[in-house]
């Protein structure tokens, strides 16, 4: 099913699921349904339960990673793991890679661990072996990555652990090495359903192809125009390969949009039509009318944020929208800062989605490290974290000695800590601390079959963790609240867990924690205006949406424009952003934006050139000197088609006109001015001319003092009230 944005694909998919269960009569435990976020999986399960009037107990529904983890818990011994294996997240894997690079003698500056991690992960996602990676290496960094690929696999196996990539690769290895297990699961699952098919990587595609290979009862739903995750291995070509691998496929196009107005869809259709690598479809709606799209030019990111805040407030008053009806989308997380400041100053509630994951907070990771050790005593990375909180008098040298002896004896770190008295190079205090730590973990292991919340309570009490955090002052008190929230999460999890899952409750809870992504974390007021990246917004919708930062180099990103594939993915990302809006859409850009600590001039995004004039209208903030932009034939309202060179020339020409205009702002020494952030002040001096004109202003606020500002970007206004 080629399902366009807002075409009801989730409804179609859940209706098919309910039909398979209720009408066809396939038992729930014989259906596999995959999607890409825990949120989507929960929504799908809830919708199916609503349609059936009952909970579909036993249904295998979830993300690729969670379903793979569930399968591997059953089959781990065949792959050389125990069913208590630990799942390493990105931070865990990075810490392990840093240690492996140090042990191999590679300097972090010459061989950055994050770059090595990216290269290894990309190879795994493409099913490239270490030998193939080494053979195709063009420089020393890639050769080291191939070496670390092998070392990482060896270290993970020693720790009885898997990273996120392994969760997808190991089932394929299992099916290759043990064909009887593939036959079993092909018989177990009579129907396979895949949501967001355009986001699958090669391993995910081969996995569902293998499971459906016998019965061929597979339904894949996706939209090639919303394929925006190539950076994490997604391959839009899987949609084409599907029709080759299953030649009797029926292709259904869902093109009626039930979400947006026609002007919004016309803009989206016109934009995405410029891509060449697509299957092709055109969205339409039966909704009558629709407000024109607002194209807004602003002075800088602060002016952009303040204009949007004023506009949102007006829409709430005049059209009775509420804060949660509004969303601001941006290309990079760094753009949220100015928006947050403007919303705080205006007193409007907001929430940021995709902030630091709850499970990535320091205090939460500390306690989870203990729990990981309880489940998996071979998890060395967990020990290295847990043993240092609270402080036990164990310095880096003591832990280094422990690691040396563990390697020499061929034991995990925890097993070595149990016999720390035999390590002659350790101080008596360090030996005692290690033995006591090992005894603590052993005591907690006796509770390993208990509810996770009960084990957590015993742990927090045993190490007096809350008291230790409280000594950090106000910040520590906030961390204590997060500890209590973790307890609440563990208790709540126990109420919702599927008893059909293998393993102890603690093992399953830790798997849930490891597979929870930052995109599903919310910070702020849930009834407030939503701030998030466009990537995170896919699958969501709001009545009022603003897409900010539409400047060449930011959206689309400069590095993406180096290839045709990169430019087309950026265009698909803009298509996703536009189609999040139901009623009103704002597309904003700034003439200047602070990036990397510098104020950089901005050019309107080439994507704005694709917006049809008949469905849009221009605005400018009071601080934006540009009244819009003009193409090479003088038409107002569009950047010139054909790329950044012609746009740059147009904008540069406009600057010249502005400098010569009688309306351009002129300031004199001694004049009173007002700055939107710094308040009122007096001009003490001027230097430069035209677009390089600078003023030195002494502000009334003593904390601000005297500042030198570039007039073209400062947004200064004459302060008539105090003149």
């Amino acid at each position: 099913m080629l399902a366009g944005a807002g075409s009801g694909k989730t409804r179609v998919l859940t209706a098919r699921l309910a039909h398979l269960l209720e009408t066809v009569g396939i038992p729930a435990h014989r259906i596999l349904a995959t999607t890409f976020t825990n949120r989507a999986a929960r929504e799908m399960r809830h919708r199916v339960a609503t349609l059936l009037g009952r909970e579909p107990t036993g249904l295998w529904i979830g993300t690729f990673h969670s379903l793979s983890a569930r399968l591997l818990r059953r089959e781990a011994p065949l792959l050389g793991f125990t069913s208590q294996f630990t799942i390493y997240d990105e931070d865990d894997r990075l810490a392990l890679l840093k240690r492996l690079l140090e042990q191999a003698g590679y300097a972090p500056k010459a061989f950055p661990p994050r770059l090595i991690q990216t290269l290894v992960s990309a190879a795994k996602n493409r099913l490239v072996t270490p030998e193939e990676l080494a053979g195709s290496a063009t420089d020393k960094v890639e050769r080291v990555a191939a070496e670390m690929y092998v070392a990482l696999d060896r270290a993970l196996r020693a720790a009885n652990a898997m990273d996120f990539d392994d969760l997808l690769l190991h089932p394929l290895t299992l099916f290759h090495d043990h064909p009887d297990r593939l036959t079993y699961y092909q018989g177990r699952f009579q129907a396979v359903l895949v949501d967001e098919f355009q986001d699958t990587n090669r391993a995910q595609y081969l996995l569902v192809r293998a499971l459906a290979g016998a019965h061929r009862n597979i339904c894949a739903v996706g939209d090639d125009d919303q394929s925006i995750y190539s950076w994490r291995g997604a391959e839009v070509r899987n949609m084409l390969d599907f029709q080759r691998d299953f030649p009797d496929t029926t292709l259904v196009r869902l093109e009626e949009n039930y979400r947006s107005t026609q002007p919004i869809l016309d803009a989206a259709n016109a934009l995405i039509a410029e891509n060449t690598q697509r299957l092709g479809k055109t969205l339409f709606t039966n909704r009558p009318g629709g407000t024109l799209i607002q194209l807004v030019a602003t002075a800088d990111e602060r002016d952009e944020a303040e204009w949007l805040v004023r506009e949102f407030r007006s829409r709430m008053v005049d059209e009775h929208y509420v804060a949660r009806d509004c969303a601001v989308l941006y290309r990079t997380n760094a753009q949220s800062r100015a928006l947050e400041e403007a919303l705080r100053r205006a007193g409007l509630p907001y929430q940021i989605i995709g902030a630091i994951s709850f499970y990535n907070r320091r205090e939460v990771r500390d306690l989870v490290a203990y729990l990981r050790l309880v489940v998996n005593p071979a998890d060395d990375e967990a020990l290295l974290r847990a043993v240092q909180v609270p402080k036990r008098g164990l310095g880096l040298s003591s832990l280094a000695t422990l690691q040396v002896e563990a390697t020499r004896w061929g034991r995990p770190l925890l097993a070595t800590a149990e016999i720390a008295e035999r390590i002659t190079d350790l101080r008596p205090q360090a030996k005692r601390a290690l033995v006591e730590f090992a005894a603590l973990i052993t005591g907690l292991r006796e509770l390993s079959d208990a509810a996770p919340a009960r084990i957590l309570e015993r742990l927090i009490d045993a190490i007096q963790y809350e008291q230790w955090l409280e000594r950090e002052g106000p910040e520590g008190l906030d961390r204590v609240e997060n500890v209590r929230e973790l307890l609440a999460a563990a208790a709540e999890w126990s109420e919702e867990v599927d008893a059909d899952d293998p393993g102890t409750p603690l093992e399953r809870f830790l798997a849930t924690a490891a597979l929870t992504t930052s995109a599903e974390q919310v910070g702020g007021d849930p009834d407030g205006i939503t701030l998030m990246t466009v990537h995170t917004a896919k699958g969501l919708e709001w009545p009022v949406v603003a897409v900010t930062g539409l400047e060449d180099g930011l959206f689309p990103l400069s590095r993406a424009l180096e290839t045709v594939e990169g430019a087309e993915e950026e265009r698909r990302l803009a298509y996703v952003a536009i189609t999040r809006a139901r009623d009103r859409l704002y597309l904003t850009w700034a003439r200047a934006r602070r990036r990397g600590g510098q104020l950089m001039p901005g050019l309107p995004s080439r994507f704005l050139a694709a917006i049809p004039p008949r469905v849009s209208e221009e605005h400018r903030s009071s601080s934006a000197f540009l009244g819009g932009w003009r193409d090479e034939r003088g038409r107002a309202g569009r950047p010139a088609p054909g790329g950044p060179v012609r746009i740059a020339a147009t904008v540069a020409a406009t600057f010249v006109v502005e400098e010569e205009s009688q309306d351009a702002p002129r300031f004199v020494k001694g004049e009173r001015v007002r700055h939107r952030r710094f308040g009122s002040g007096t001009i003490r001096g001027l230097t430069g001319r035209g677009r390089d004109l600078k003023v030195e202003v002494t502000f009334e606020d003593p904390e601000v003092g005297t500042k030198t500002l570039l007039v073209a970007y400062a947004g200064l206004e004459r302060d008539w009230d105090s003149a």
Side-chain angles (χ1 to χ4, degrees):
M1 288 191 283
L2 192 61
S7 62
K9 71 175 180 62
T10 305
R11 180 181 178 186
V12 171
L13 200 63
T14 51
R16 179 177 176 84
L17 249 175
H19 172 75
L20 292 172
L21 289 164
E22 195 78 347
T23 306
V24 180
I26 299 178
H29 69 277
R30 305 194 70 178
I31 296 177
L32 178 75
T34 71
T35 186
F36 274 82
T37 67
N38 292 309
R39 180 185 63 226
R42 286 192 298 269
E43 181 185 357
M44 198 184 300
R45 183 184 289 274
H46 174 73
R47 287 201 190 190
V48 171
T50 301
L51 287 173
L52 296 176
R54 56 183 170 80
E55 188 69 30
T57 306
L59 185 67
W60 279 52
I61 183 170
T63 65
F64 273 99
H65 289 95
S66 65
L67 293 175
S68 293
R70 184 172 176 179
L71 182 150
L72 290 169
R73 293 285 177 203
R74 290 169 156 80
E75 310 293 347
L78 292 175
L79 295 165
F81 297 86
T82 75
S83 60
Q84 291 77 37
F85 65 83
T86 299
I87 299 173
Y88 277 19
D89 64 15
E90 296 300 307
D91 290 336
D92 297 325
R93 182 170 64 178
L94 184 62
L96 178 55
L97 264 176
K98 286 179 179 176
R99 189 152 55 87
L100 294 173
L101 285 164
E102 289 172 3
Q103 291 173 358
Y106 293 118
K109 285 190 177 180
F111 304 98
R114 287 192 183 277
L115 175 58
I116 299 297
Q117 175 172 254
T118 299
L119 293 173
V120 171
S121 182
K124 284 186 171 186
N125 283 326
R126 299 195 314 272
L127 305 182
V128 173
T129 65
E131 294 75 22
E132 290 169 336
L133 183 59
S136 63
T138 58
D139 56 31
K140 179 67 172 175
V141 173
E142 290 183 351
R143 287 192 288 274
V144 169
E147 180 184 336
M148 288 300 104
Y149 190 161
V150 176
L152 179 65
D153 182 66
R154 189 184 301 120
L156 285 168
R157 286 183 175 276
N160 191 33
M162 302 180 190
D163 63 21
F164 281 3
D165 299 325
D166 292 334
L167 292 178
L168 302 177
L169 293 180
H170 285 323
L172 292 173
T173 303
L174 173 75
F175 295 156
H176 179 271
D177 296 346
H178 302 276
D180 60 307
R181 302 316 296 157
L182 173 58
T183 301
Y184 167 78
Y185 283 105
Q186 285 177 335
R188 166 72 185 264
F189 299 120
Q190 292 180 258
V192 175
L193 297 92
V194 187
D195 192 14
E196 303 290 4
F197 190 63
Q198 76 282 346
D199 294 334
T200 53
N201 62 29
R202 202 62 190 160
Q204 290 162 334
Y205 176 64
L206 293 178
L207 191 56
V208 296
R209 189 182 73 177
L211 290 172
H215 54 67
R216 305 173 70 77
N217 185 356
I218 179 169
C219 174
V221 184
D223 182 3
D224 56 331
D225 289 335
Q226 296 187 70
S227 180
I228 58 175
Y229 292 115
S230 66
W231 49 273
R232 69 182 190 195
E235 297 187 13
V236 71
R237 74 183 177 98
N238 289 341
M239 298 191 73
L240 302 175
D241 288 349
F242 184 95
Q243 296 178 71
R244 183 199 66 200
D245 294 334
F246 299 97
D248 50 342
T249 293
T250 298
L251 177 63
V252 179
R253 282 182 167 84
L254 303 180
E255 296 179 291
E256 181 173 357
N257 178 286
Y258 300 97
R259 174 190 301 158
S260 308
T261 61
Q262 196 61 52
I264 292 171
L265 297 182
D266 287 346
N269 288 330
L271 174 67
I272 202 63
E274 296 186 359
N275 275 7
T276 58
Q277 301 175 24
R278 58 192 296 257
L279 296 173
K281 63 185 174 311
T282 302
L283 298 179
F284 69 92
T285 184
N286 286 315
R287 284 187 63 183
T291 305
L292 293 178
I293 296 167
Q294 310 297 297
L295 308 181
V296 187
T298 63
D300 58 21
E301 74 274 12
R302 188 174 292 113
D303 183 39
E304 178 184 58
E306 291 176 351
W307 190 93
L308 282 173
V309 167
R310 290 193 299 271
E311 180 66 15
F312 283 171
R313 191 189 291 279
S314 296
R315 298 285 69 76
M316 291 176 199
V317 172
D318 298 341
E319 299 174 21
H320 307 295
Y321 289 112
V322 295
R324 65 174 176 271
D325 292 333
C326 306
V328 183
L329 310 181
Y330 34 80
R331 182 63 181 83
T332 64
N333 275 306
Q335 291 168 250
S336 69
R337 181 188 56 80
L339 294 161
E340 285 188 78
E341 291 177 357
L343 288 165
R344 279 199 297 265
R345 284 194 297 269
L348 286 178
Y350 67 92
Q351 62 173 338
I352 295 185
I353 301 196
I356 296 177
S357 166
F358 175 75
Y359 288 103
N360 275 336
R361 298 181 189 278
R362 189 195 84 194
E363 57 279 8
V364 175
R365 292 183 70 88
D366 288 346
L367 294 174
V368 167
Y370 276 94
L371 298 181
R372 281 168 46 182
L373 264 183
V374 170
V375 166
N376 179 14
D379 191 341
D380 289 351
E381 292 303 316
L383 181 139
L384 290 172
R385 184 179 190 105
V387 78
Q388 297 184 74
V389 287
K391 300 297 183 185
R392 294 180 167 85
L394 291 167
L396 295 179
S397 60
S398 296
L399 293 176
T401 301
L402 178 70
Q403 289 174 275
V404 168
E405 293 304 310
T407 302
R408 188 165 68 88
W409 293 341
R411 286 170 168 261
L413 293 181
L414 182 62
T416 307
E418 290 175 344
I419 54 174
E421 295 96 338
R422 303 182 195 175
I423 304 176
T424 55
D425 293 339
L426 282 178
R427 294 176 294 106
Q429 180 185 350
K431 292 179 181 180
R432 186 167 56 253
L434 287 170
V435 171
E436 290 175 354
F437 176 81
L440 169 65
I441 300 301
T442 299
L444 291 171
R445 293 199 76 196
E446 295 174 359
L447 297 171
S448 59
D449 288 332
R454 184 185 170 202
I455 301 172
L456 263 174
E457 287 176 343
R458 178 73 65 88
L459 167 62
I460 293 165
D461 182 60
I463 63 176
Q464 296 188 309
Y465 192 59
E466 290 190 358
Q467 293 89 324
W468 185 65
L469 289 174
E470 286 168 354
R471 290 196 286 272
E472 295 182 4
E475 184 180 342
L477 294 176
D478 289 340
R479 296 189 185 281
V480 168
E481 289 304 312
N482 287 332
V483 169
R484 292 171 182 169
E485 181 62 26
L486 178 62
L487 271 170
E492 183 179 337
W493 175 88
S494 296
E495 297 172 4
E496 299 178 357
V497 68
D498 188 343
D500 185 51
D501 285 353
T504 66
L506 183 57
E507 291 167 18
R508 302 198 303 268
F509 174 70
L510 288 175
T512 300
L515 295 170
T516 299
T517 65
S518 62
E520 297 177 64
Q521 300 303 317
V522 179
D525 189 335
D527 288 325
I529 293 168
T530 299
L531 309 180
M532 61 164 57
T533 64
V534 181
H535 276 103
T536 308
K538 192 161 79 72
L540 303 177
E541 61 181 74
W542 298 267
V544 181
V545 170
V547 185
T548 63
L550 279 159
E551 298 121 43
D552 259 16
L554 179 58
F555 199 179
L557 287 177
S558 298
R559 64 175 180 270
L561 299 177
E562 295 172 1
T563 65
V564 172
E565 293 77 15
E568 293 212 346
E569 178 151 332
E570 288 289 299
R571 190 172 287 107
R572 291 195 293 268
L573 193 60
Y575 171 85
V576 167
I578 288 172
T579 53
R580 298 312 93 197
R582 293 210 301 258
D583 305 334
R584 283 186 168 272
L585 175 65
Y586 300 87
L587 304 177
T588 70
W589 69 282
R591 285 187 53 189
R593 191 176 299 273
R594 288 159 186 82
R595 301 180 68 184
Q598 293 184 313
L599 191 67
M600 306 293 290
L603 302 174
S605 170
R606 63 193 63 198
F607 296 157
L608 295 173
I611 308 300
R614 59 185 170 77
V615 300
S616 61
E617 61 183 13
E618 270 188 58
H619 293 273
R620 63 183 177 90
S621 69
S622 59
S623 301
F625 300 137
L626 266 181
W629 53 87
R630 298 180 180 275
D631 67 16
E632 73 280 9
R633 283 172 288 180
R635 296 177 303 180
R638 300 292 170 276
V645 175
R646 292 160 79 181
I647 292 176
T650 303
V651 174
T654 309
F655 268 117
V656 172
V657 172
E658 286 178 347
E659 289 167 11
E660 297 171 353
S661 169
Q662 297 299 311
D663 297 327
R666 286 181 169 79
F667 296 104
V668 296
K669 187 175 180 179
E671 187 174 12
R672 297 280 297 172
V673 291
R674 175 178 289 278
H675 187 276
R676 60 182 170 276
R677 180 180 176 190
F678 303 135
S680 298
T682 303
I683 295 178
R684 299 301 181 194
L686 299 94
T687 57
R689 62 182 296 275
R691 63 184 296 186
D692 296 320
L693 176 65
K694 296 178 182 177
V695 290
E696 184 179 287
V697 182
T698 299
F699 291 96
E700 292 177 353
D701 187 339
E703 293 186 6
V704 176
T706 301
K707 291 188 176 293
T708 300
L709 306 171
L710 198 60
V711 171
Y713 303 128
L716 292 174
E717 298 175 354
R718 288 181 172 80
D719 191 2
W720 302 108
D721 292 339
S722 56

